Amino acid sequence: MSALTTIGLPVALGIIMFGLGLSLTPADFARVGKHPKAVIVALACQLILLPAICFGLVVLFQLPPVLAVGMILLAAAPGGTTANLYSHLFRGDVALNVTLTAINSIVALFTLPLLTNFAISVFLPDSEGLGIQFTKAVEVFLIVLGPVVLGMLVRRLWPRFADRMDKPVRIASMLILAIVIVGALISNRELFFNNLGSLAGITILFCALSLTVGFFVPRLFRVEPRQAVASSFEIGIHNATLAIVIAQSVLGNEEMSLPAAVYGVLMFFVALAFGFLVRRAVPAGSAAKEPAATA
């Protein structure tokens, strides 16, 4: 495993999560009380429906066991910060996105190890020592929550500095992530291209289904359109970086990270197409002005 993967990926994730922390305040968690139905429905979709859908797709596509676990790991990952941008572009409730991302990032600390270990027990029952044990769960906890808490602390102590750093940190995180992913793909190009054909279909379908579930299930429960748009992107755009880091750095399996790597590229195009389809559901003048930190 190259130094670019072992060092670069955790650093990229750390910067991304630190940037998320810079945009969060305690009010983002307290906001749950204002929109409990939207939050509860979105979390139910994220934690129950999506893993079930992903499990069905894995069986339908008959993926090799390691790639099957990688898909479940991806499904268990919380929403990515890119969801905020898409929600902003397509008239979603960005404040709800920030709230869902914050809550999901904490809930996933417990649900992600459980779902990953379940997938390993189903698809790789004979693999010794592969799984997220307590010490590895603590590692995931520190990788995810540590930078977020640090970012929130910086915002609390130096709010103006946090506002100034928000955009540079986002740009830096995306550049570092792009470099790391390209480097990882080059070093594992044979493995990547050998599996691209089998992974493109399932990752595109999973992303499309995630976005669809994230929009229409809340609408069935009469969640208002802007919140449904926010929910669709939060549920449909997973934190592929986190899934890659856990697969490669925590579980030490590069092949397991391939579904997230393929998904991480294709999801941008699927989400963009979906955004143009659902934006008609939100009247042009209905998007309220969002705080600068969440845009």
Side-chain angles (χ1 to χ4, degrees), residues 7-136:
I7 299 174
L9 268 174
V11 168
L13 179 64
I15 294 175
I16 290 171
M17 301 311 288
F18 176 73
L20 172 62
L22 286 178
S23 69
L24 291 179
T25 67
D28 296 316
F29 295 90
R31 197 182 293 118
V32 176
K34 296 181 180 179
H35 307 292
K37 183 165 67 173
V39 172
I40 291 171
V41 172
L43 287 177
C45 291
Q46 177 81 43
L47 301 175
I48 300 173
L49 281 181
L50 287 198
I53 289 171
C54 188
F55 190 93
L57 290 176
V58 163
V59 173
L60 179 66
F61 279 78
Q62 298 181 334
L63 286 187
V66 173
L67 297 181
V69 174
M71 278 298 301
I72 301 298
L73 173 59
L74 173 65
T81 53
T82 311
N84 297 3
L85 173 60
Y86 275 90
S87 187
H88 176 71
L89 289 174
F90 295 106
R91 304 171 187 160
D93 185 343
V94 182
L96 178 61
N97 280 103
V98 175
T99 299
L100 288 172
T101 300
I103 296 172
N104 248 333
S105 297
I106 293 176
V107 173
L109 295 173
F110 305 97
T111 58
L112 192 148
L114 290 175
L115 286 170
T116 303
N117 283 343
F118 171 74
I120 290 171
S121 69
V122 172
F123 297 107
L124 295 168
D126 298 325
S127 59
E128 294 183 8
L130 184 61
I132 301 180
Q133 290 81 34
F134 178 75
T135 53
K136 292 184 177 181

Side-chain angles (χ1 to χ4, degrees), residues 182-268:
V182 169
L185 291 180
I186 291 174
S187 61
N188 299 282
R189 57 187 177 277
E190 186 175 347
L191 186 63
F192 177 80
F193 286 110
N194 285 345
N195 290 279
L196 180 61
S198 60
L199 288 173
I202 189 172
T203 51
I204 290 174
L205 184 56
F206 176 63
C207 184
L209 288 174
S210 299
L211 290 162
T212 303
V213 165
F215 181 80
F216 286 104
V217 171
R219 291 298 290 146
L220 286 175
F221 285 89
R222 298 185 178 180
V223 170
E224 61 107 355
R226 286 185 64 234
Q227 293 181 338
V229 170
S231 172
S232 68
F233 287 117
E234 192 65 35
I235 292 168
I237 300 178
H238 295 264
N239 193 334
T241 315
L242 176 59
I244 293 170
V245 169
I246 291 175
Q248 297 195 9
S249 300
V250 178
L251 296 175
N253 192 308
E254 293 188 353
E255 188 176 359
M256 195 178 288
S257 70
L258 289 175
V262 174
Y263 172 92
V265 174
L266 298 178
M267 72 174 183
F268 291 104

